[in-house]
Amino acid sequence: MASPIKKLKIIFVAGARPNFMKVAPLMEEFKKCPEFSTILVHTGQHYDEKMSKVFFDELKIPRPDINFEIGAGNHAVQTGKILIAFDDVLEREKPDLVVVVGDVNSTIACALAAVKRGVKVAHVEAGLRSFDWTMPEEINRVLTDRISDFLFCTEDSAVKNLRAEGISKNKIFMTGNVMIDTLLKQKSAAEKSNVLKELKLSDKKYAVATLHRPSNVDDKNALNKIISTLKKVAGKLPVVFPVHPRTKSHLLTWGIPTGKIYILDPLGYLDFLKLVSHAKLVMTDSGGIQEETTILGVPCLTLRENTERPVTVKCGTNEIVGTDEKKILAAVEKILKKPPAKAKTSKFWDGKVSARIVKVLSAKL
Ligand code: UD1
């Protein structure tokens, strides 16, 4: 009797909030293919119900097969613990491929463990560069790309960056933005969210703010300055601010008053998508939100000095304003007077990205 064909074993890694919406469509697509068997590892870098579980529930991500429950810690501790825990999994499971997404500590830790064991690595969202070495994510991105075998890019700048770093074009695949697969799939479900009603907000009559970058929230003066600016914006239109745990703990420790800003706990995926879709504008230091606002056609002010996602500025609704109060208030004023035209979106941000990634990996593996 012929022996059954051996399936290729793929381990997917998710660790922090922005990973979950990227892993969801990938796992769904890979599960459709009989030639692959899949394992989901959650490192537990993010662990609160509102930072993790709600995404698994809403996006119907399969329960993780393994959860390291690593939790909080400085970069060395978090990365080191994940590296060791993931190495054990590699030894036990002997996968054919590890898929990592984004740029968080879980991404580099698992990619590094895999490459040292000679396991092939696919990096989804490769090649993005802020060229800012003070960002922990920039270090994670550059190192992960350097050791990955398959580099899946969201925008042309990423392909250019990888080529400029000497990475062979045979490893680089322009497949598009997998996070947008999730956004397009969930948009109508998000519309059913009651978040606007619950918060008594009306369509296009409020702003949304999010902040979590260490450069903005780990320094008392920097955080104070941004909150003071957001309070001034709140004098013009309501500002809704779902607060990341890192930011919340600093607001409380330093006793920074938030005035009329509408402070919320972190929101689930669907509530947040509805909130952003109907906002007049968004002020953020997140990377993913720059891309989501671009697709949604919502004006976005990025409260950082740079972006690793230049397509959102070139073709999208994103403007890099930094953290200078005058610049932020002028940009808000401009949007209130005349919102920018709806963005042109990349042809690769079409909801079919995970299917393209599966196609590439099916052929290459
Ligand atoms: C991490 C990622 C960042 C990503 C962000 C999204 C790295 C280096 N950074 O930053 O790229 O944009 O996630 O949120 O990987 N905490 C909780 N509950 C949780 C998770 C965290 O209370 O579920 C608290 C902990 O006290 C922790 C702090 O938030 O110390 C920060 O979490 P951490 O995982 O260190 O980094 P993030 O700032 O979330």
Side-chain angles (χ1 to χ4, degrees):
M1 203 171 69
S3 58
I5 294 166
K6 189 182 165 282
K7 290 188 178 217
L8 292 171
K9 192 187 274 186
I10 305 188
I11 298 186
F12 292 84
V13 176
R17 182 168 64 174
N19 292 163
F20 306 135
M21 52 293 260
K22 296 167 193 165
V23 158
L26 284 170
M27 285 210 67
E28 189 182 328
E29 204 61 37
F30 273 94
K31 276 187 176 297
K32 288 184 200 159
C33 303
E35 68 263 41
F36 297 118
S37 71
T38 60
I39 294 178
L40 177 59
V41 169
H42 189 335
T43 65
Q45 180 177 343
H46 283 175
Y47 47 87
D48 280 351
E49 165 134 9
K50 289 178 175 153
M51 298 293 286
S52 173
K53 183 174 179 298
V54 65
F55 294 87
F56 280 79
D57 294 345
E58 290 185 346
L59 303 179
K60 301 196 171 48
I61 306 171
R63 283 177 65 84
D65 300 285
I66 302 163
N67 190 331
F68 300 151
E69 298 180 359
I70 292 297
N74 68 34
H75 289 273
V77 169
Q78 207 171 48
T79 313
K81 281 183 175 172
I82 297 169
L83 184 66
I84 294 166
F86 194 62
D87 190 54
D88 282 347
V89 174
L90 294 170
E91 184 169 49
R92 208 169 55 237
E93 297 293 340
K94 305 203 172 11
D96 298 288
L97 178 75
V98 168
V99 177
V100 295
V101 298
D103 54 16
V104 302
N105 287 341
S106 305
T107 312
I108 176 64
C110 294
L112 186 54
V115 74
K116 293 258 175 144
R117 279 202 177 261
V119 177
K120 289 203 181 318
V121 177
H123 183 204
V124 175
E125 204 185 83
L128 297 178
R129 298 288 182 266
S130 65
F131 303 100
D132 176 358
W133 280 105
T134 65
M135 276 182 93
E137 295 81 1
E138 182 72 358
I139 299 166
N140 294 342
R141 290 180 199 119
V142 172
L143 299 185
T144 304
D145 288 339
R146 188 66 189 79
I147 57 179
S148 292
D149 300 276
F150 304 101
L151 296 146
F152 294 104
C153 296
T154 52
E155 58 173 88
D156 291 337
S157 76
V159 175
K160 262 196 213 141
N161 294 334
L162 293 172
R163 295 292 291 135
E165 288 170 20
I167 293 179
S168 154
K169 63 175 187 293
N170 300 332
K171 291 184 173 183
I172 304 171
F173 305 92
M174 176 62 197
T175 38
N177 194 328
V178 84
M179 195 182 62
I180 304 303
D181 284 8
T182 298
L183 184 149
L184 296 177
K185 184 168 175 206
Q186 300 294 339
K187 203 158 178 292
S188 56
E191 274 309 307
K192 297 190 188 116
S193 152
N194 284 324
V195 69
L196 299 196
K197 241 190 237 157
E198 282 162 16
L199 299 175
K200 301 192 174 49
L201 296 167
S202 319
D203 186 40
K204 302 292 168 198
K205 296 264 166 55
Y206 62 91
V208 175
T210 81
L211 290 175
H212 74 282
R213 292 272 157 227
S215 57
N216 283 340
V217 307
D218 286 2
D219 176 88
K220 189 175 173 184
N221 287 336
L223 185 57
N224 229 330
K225 204 174 104 186
I226 300 184
I227 294 294
S228 146
T229 306
L230 293 183
K231 285 200 279 188
K232 292 194 179 147
V233 178
K236 299 172 192 287
L237 81 171
V239 173
V240 186
F241 182 17
V243 183
H244 185 281
R246 172 192 281 282
T247 314
K248 182 178 174 185
S249 96
H250 289 151
L251 286 173
L252 293 175
T253 313
W254 295 325
I256 298 176
T258 49
K260 274 183 16 186
I261 303 171
Y262 210 148
I263 299 289
L264 301 178
D265 278 337
L267 292 174
Y269 185 80
L270 298 175
D271 284 345
F272 190 71
L273 180 53
K274 168 100 179 225
L275 193 67
V276 169
S277 308
H278 291 266
K280 181 81 180 171
L281 67 120
V282 172
M283 294 166 283
T284 188
D285 58 11
S286 150
I289 296 172
Q290 296 170 43
E291 298 176 332
E292 289 169 338
T293 46
T294 283
I295 281 286
L296 295 167
V298 173
C300 176
L301 301 177
T302 293
L303 310 185
R304 287 171 43 191
E305 303 304 328
N306 51 53
T307 181
E308 59 287 332
R309 293 155 157 96
V311 75
T312 61
V313 176
K314 203 168 141 216
C315 310
T317 50
N318 188 21
E319 189 182 339
I320 309 299
V321 286
T323 53
D324 178 72
E325 178 168 295
K326 269 198 199 144
K327 271 197 192 163
I328 298 173
L329 294 178
V332 168
E333 220 30 78
K334 204 170 84 190
I335 293 168
L336 293 181
K337 277 199 190 121
K338 192 174 182 288
K342 197 171 180 320
K344 290 192 298 248
T345 47
S346 159
K347 66 175 179 185
F348 289 108
W349 295 19
D350 58 356
K352 296 175 186 151
V353 181
S354 10
R356 283 196 282 273
I357 291 175
V358 169
K359 204 169 157 198
V360 170
L361 289 173
S362 294
K364 297 278 170 190
L365 293 171

